[in-house]
Amino acid sequence: MSELYVHDVTGVDDASATGTKEAPFKTPAYALFIKEDAKVFVYKKDEETDGYVEISSSALKKAKKGADGLKKKAEKAKAAEAQKAQKDAEDAARKLEAMKITIKEDESLPKATKAKIRDLDVGKRFKVSGWIHRFRAQKGLAFIVLRDGTGYVQAVLSGDLANAYQTQTLTLETTVTLYGTVQKLPEGKQAVGGIELVVDYYEIIGLAPSGEDAFTNKIQEGADPSLLLDQRHLALRGETLSGVMKVRAALLKAIRKVYIEEGITEVTPPCMVQTQVEGGSTLFKLDYYGEESYLTQSSQLYLETCLPALGDVFCIQESFRAEKSHTRRHLSEYTHIEAELVFLTFDELLTHIETLITKSVQYVLEDPVAGPLVEQLNPGFVAPKLPFKRMEYIHALEWLNEHGIPNEDGESFKFGDDIAEAAERKMTDAIGVPILLTRFPAEIKSFYMKRCADDPRVTESVDVLMPTVGEITGGSMRSEGLEELVEGFKREGIKDLDAYYWFIDQRKYGTSPHGGYGLGTERILAWLTNRFTVRDCSLYPRFSGRCRP
């Protein structure tokens, strides 16, 4: 009978141990696993012993049990290894067979019509190009969900087409051109649009990476938002973000449609300016051929100059605010929908804003693409109805105080306080309907806003508040008189009136009653599509610390 030695400190349970005193095993179980009938000696050190002694009967019994476990584990591993070897052999054989399959177009089939997914029609053979949005392969069958920007379609590949090696190695976001016949889905099956493309031939245009660089490793569900923003160019391919962008396109189309119906002319004011509209602290400065200039905060002043020439005007253009704000409703660059209307009253301005918002939403919901997307992104969305609730600033303060909502200093609201976003949101969400909040104090509003005739402390101004998103629109009647305008300039600390000569001239050469407003596209979109932040509503959001990609 051979002798094996075990040392629980210096021993090693691997092939490098031999079971001698010089190279002992670490455990008795491993020693018996190596040789089940061996005589086992374990190292012992106490007051009486310092060396190897034969293992006790109780320890031996325990060791044998452990050895049996190791033996079963080894047998299991061996079986798994054999199974893997068999599978590898089968896979290699399958791969060899798959590589022998050549994908060719059947020239006897009807000529395929080139089409976008949105234009597919049952019973015809089409040629459709796009990106592999989803992919699943099994023996004899492969399923592709193809995306081309106009929609999604499920494609089915069968037989040699599915078994071909190039099909088995397809990856997400690979670009392909599929040829096949559109059929209605069999009873009991589900797919986008209720149809599927039965593919008879396809071509790979661009194979996307697999392995470490696979698309799913670049865009992972639940990833940190900043990482997803770094990969925005890829994240846009997802169903949610691309859906929001399609609703955005429909919204801008709807806004323009309403303006056309209202007889309002579109203009394109400059983005590089040398004057301020909303206060100097939020201006982005730039060197314009040696002159100090800025990126515009608003096109309002330029729109006002168009009134005598073109009548009512609007623009859809980028605006820039250098606010180091990280709230969910702020961006440094956003798409600003602005309008200026002439020869109207404050009440008429409010009615116009209501009409613009309700009609635009109606047109979006009627859009065949955007309507279903709004329902998908914001289930149960209810379009606003006329008239909106009208509430004066002073009554909003009363409501906030009655409901125990404090101002930013933790005190009750008093006249002249600015209603911060949090308090405004609480009130709007509690009331639960769109609100036209009017008549703000002159001190907290811009220099160009007209004061109310019945109370010069307040202005003919309005903020449109929507439940869940807060303010989406701000507007006012504009000061008509030259003296009132100059007084506003002084209040804002604007001393160089010469820079505003072209704006001041609007009061000299035929002043008129007029008013206007600005709508933040991203805020309206966040409300429409139930997005938590306006960053999800901009193609490439820009905010403090983010100007890439």
Side-chain angles (χ1 to χ4, degrees):
M1 182 182 290
S2 58
E3 296 179 350
L4 294 178
Y5 294 85
V6 175
H7 195 306
D8 62 356
V9 176
T10 63
V12 180
D13 288 350
D14 58 26
S16 63
T18 59
T20 62
K21 289 182 179 180
E22 293 74 23
F25 292 118
K26 193 173 183 67
T27 66
Y30 193 79
L32 291 177
F33 168 67
I34 296 299
K35 193 167 181 62
E36 62 181 338
D37 61 349
K39 198 170 189 178
V40 179
F41 292 85
V42 296
Y43 181 78
K44 186 177 181 183
K45 185 176 181 181
D46 55 25
E47 293 178 358
E48 298 176 0
T49 309
D50 185 2
Y52 286 97
V53 298
E54 190 172 350
I55 191 169
S56 68
S57 57
S58 61
L60 180 62
K61 186 177 179 181
K62 185 178 179 183
K64 284 180 178 179
K65 190 175 181 180
D68 287 343
L70 291 172
K71 186 178 179 181
K72 288 177 183 176
K73 189 175 179 182
E75 288 170 352
K76 191 175 179 181
K78 189 176 180 180
E81 191 176 337
Q83 192 176 6
K84 183 179 181 300
Q86 183 181 349
K87 186 178 181 300
D88 289 346
E90 290 172 355
D91 287 347
R94 251 194 316 269
K95 180 178 177 182
L96 195 61
E97 287 301 311
M99 293 177 78
K100 292 178 184 176
I101 299 172
T102 302
I103 295 177
K104 290 182 180 178
E105 184 174 9
D106 185 346
E107 300 293 340
S108 68
L109 292 171
K111 183 176 174 59
T113 303
K114 185 178 179 181
K116 298 288 187 182
I117 289 173
R118 69 184 170 209
D119 300 322
L120 295 180
D121 193 16
V122 173
K124 296 180 182 178
R125 187 169 183 258
F126 289 99
K127 171 185 175 183
V128 189
S129 298
W131 291 261
I132 295 179
H133 191 65
R134 294 194 186 90
F135 177 69
R136 179 167 57 91
Q138 59 195 60
K139 189 175 181 181
L141 276 178
F143 297 91
I144 291 173
V145 173
L146 192 72
R147 180 190 77 242
D148 74 347
T150 71
Y152 303 84
V153 67
Q154 177 174 283
V156 183
L157 292 73
S158 59
D160 280 355
L161 202 59
N163 293 331
Y165 179 69
Q166 76 172 43
T167 303
Q168 300 296 315
T169 56
L170 286 174
T171 51
L172 293 185
E173 296 305 317
T174 287
T175 38
V176 293
T177 297
L178 305 181
Y179 296 72
T181 304
V182 177
Q183 295 183 357
K184 283 187 177 180
L185 270 182
E187 195 70 35
K189 290 191 176 181
Q190 287 186 331
V192 181
I195 61 171
E196 63 183 8
L197 182 69
V198 180
V199 179
D200 53 62
Y201 173 66
Y202 78 91
E203 299 164 327
I204 295 176
I205 299 169
L207 186 65
S210 58
E212 192 174 316
D213 288 331
F215 183 79
T216 48
N217 288 334
K218 291 284 186 180
I219 302 294
Q220 295 182 0
E221 191 175 340
D224 184 274
S226 64
L227 296 178
L228 290 177
L229 284 171
D230 287 340
Q231 302 297 327
R232 186 72 166 189
H233 58 296
L234 298 179
L236 283 168
R237 302 183 184 199
E239 292 173 33
T240 299
L241 272 181
S242 63
V244 171
M245 292 306 123
K246 288 177 182 178
V247 176
R248 179 188 174 104
L251 172 63
L252 294 177
K253 178 183 173 183
I255 292 275
R256 282 191 166 96
K257 183 178 178 180
V258 176
Y259 281 136
I260 290 170
E261 291 174 350
E262 296 288 314
I264 302 174
T265 303
E266 183 170 6
V267 295
T268 311
C271 281
M272 293 181 288
V273 302
Q274 292 185 316
T275 51
Q276 67 184 54
V277 182
E278 301 292 346
S281 63
T282 65
L283 287 166
F284 281 108
K285 291 184 180 181
L286 61 96
D287 184 340
Y288 187 75
Y289 304 110
E291 290 186 274
E292 187 177 83
S293 300
Y294 316 99
L295 293 176
T296 185
Q297 304 158 312
S298 165
S299 298
Q300 178 204 320
L301 305 191
Y302 291 94
L303 291 178
E304 287 192 48
T305 68
C306 296
L307 295 177
L310 303 171
D312 300 340
V313 290
F314 80 96
C315 71
I316 298 178
Q317 198 151 312
E318 300 305 283
S319 283
F320 306 85
R321 301 283 175 90
E323 292 177 280
K324 290 187 177 179
S325 175
H326 286 273
T327 75
R328 57 179 173 158
R329 68 175 193 169
H330 281 92
L331 290 168
S332 296
E333 176 187 10
Y334 64 99
T335 303
H336 211 171
I337 301 162
E338 296 183 89
E340 287 294 318
L341 313 176
V342 70
F343 301 119
L344 80 169
T345 65
F346 184 45
D347 278 341
E348 288 170 335
L349 176 66
L350 297 181
T351 299
H352 164 81
I353 293 172
E354 287 177 324
T355 300
L356 176 71
I357 293 172
T358 52
K359 274 195 172 184
S360 297
V361 171
Q362 175 193 335
Y363 293 152
V364 169
L365 296 179
E366 290 172 354
D367 185 273
V369 174
L373 282 171
V374 171
E375 177 58 32
Q376 180 184 324
L377 294 163
N378 191 3
F381 173 78
V382 178
K385 295 178 181 178
L386 294 174
F388 290 179
K389 179 179 178 63
R390 300 192 181 191
M391 176 185 280
E392 292 185 17
Y393 163 86
I394 191 69
H395 297 143
L397 298 190
E398 292 171 1
W399 190 98
L400 291 164
N401 289 335
E402 286 172 4
H403 289 80
I405 300 172
N407 64 14
E408 287 190 295
D409 297 323
E411 301 171 352
S412 295
F413 278 93
K414 58 185 181 301
F415 186 85
D417 286 346
D418 193 7
I419 303 175
E421 178 191 357
E424 183 180 81
R425 284 286 302 277
K426 285 180 182 178
M427 179 181 73
T428 309
D429 289 351
I431 293 173
V433 295
I435 299 171
L436 294 172
L437 191 58
T438 62
R439 293 168 63 98
F440 289 88
E443 288 71 23
I444 62 173
K445 283 297 180 181
S446 297
F447 66 88
Y448 50 75
M449 293 189 177
K450 183 177 182 179
R451 292 177 184 261
C452 293
D454 62 337
D455 186 353
R457 298 179 308 156
V458 296
T459 54
E460 291 188 336
S461 53
V462 60
D463 283 351
V464 181
L465 310 179
M466 285 291 177
T468 75
V469 74
E471 181 193 342
I472 61 168
T473 309
S476 75
M477 295 299 289
R478 316 309 193 190
S479 300
E480 299 164 35
L482 183 57
E483 288 184 12
E484 191 177 352
L485 181 63
V486 171
E487 182 187 324
F489 279 132
K490 289 178 181 177
R491 192 176 74 244
E492 286 292 328
I494 299 172
K495 298 177 182 178
D496 183 15
L497 299 189
D498 290 341
Y500 292 83
Y501 74 94
W502 51 274
F503 182 63
I504 292 171
D505 276 355
Q506 304 310 307
R507 275 69 180 172
K508 285 184 181 179
Y509 298 93
T511 190
S512 59
H514 63 285
Y517 54 88
L519 294 83
T521 302
E522 291 78 12
R523 289 190 184 180
I524 297 176
L525 204 54
W527 165 60
L528 259 178
T529 61
N530 194 30
R531 296 303 94 192
F532 177 74
T533 170
V534 291
R535 296 174 187 178
D536 289 341
C537 302
S538 173
L539 193 66
Y540 285 94
R542 299 295 186 241
F543 50 91
S544 177
R546 169 66 59 178
C547 195
R548 67 179 187 277

